[in-house]
Amino acid sequence: MWELEVSSSFSAAHRLCGYGQPCENVHGHNWKVVAVVRCEQLDAIGIGYDFKALRTRLREILATLDHHDLNATPPFDAVNPSAENLARWVFERLAEKLADSPARVARILVRENDDSGATYSP
Ligand SMILES: [Zn+2]
């Protein structure tokens, strides 16, 4: 079993509704997203899943959030755009994109900054 990792980032505004702290006010982050996928076999040249292709899939997903007001962007107009919920949403989107490949998403880490982040795995 191999675990492969790629990362990318996006910038967006959000507010955490119901938080009752300054994070309830609109503010922004430069989120960093790390995707880890598992592969049980390698291809003929020793690659489990091409890093470049994997990063492209991740970037396609994050492009739908980049420079957006997350609280006005579905599904986060109805679900609080916390790092936790973002991680689960990215996991589900990436799992859909990899459904026809031998790679399986293991976990997604979403970091709001160097000190705080949330990892989702089912
Ligand atoms: Zn925040």
Side-chain angles (χ1 to χ4, degrees), residues 18-84:
Y19 187 62
Q21 298 286 329
C23 289
E24 190 158 358
N25 299 325
V26 176
H27 62 283
H29 294 289
N30 295 313
W31 274 276
K32 183 175 181 185
V33 180
V34 179
V36 178
V37 305
R38 290 195 182 109
C39 298
E40 292 187 354
Q41 50 195 339
L42 305 181
D43 67 14
I45 62 168
I47 290 176
Y49 196 97
D50 181 57
F51 288 141
K52 186 176 176 184
L54 184 58
R55 192 175 299 106
T56 296
R57 303 278 180 280
L58 180 61
R59 285 178 176 162
E60 289 168 355
I61 295 164
L62 301 184
T64 66
L65 305 176
D66 190 40
H67 286 77
H68 278 66
D69 172 359
L70 297 183
N71 296 78
T73 306
F76 303 106
D77 53 343
V79 177
N80 233 2
S82 61
E84 293 87 335

Side-chain angles (χ1 to χ4, degrees), residues 96-115:
E96 290 170 2
K97 287 182 177 285
L98 299 185
D100 61 350
S101 85
R104 290 292 166 262
V105 185
R107 57 189 173 275
I108 298 291
L109 165 63
V110 172
R111 302 197 69 87
E112 290 189 344
N113 51 50
D114 288 342
D115 303 319

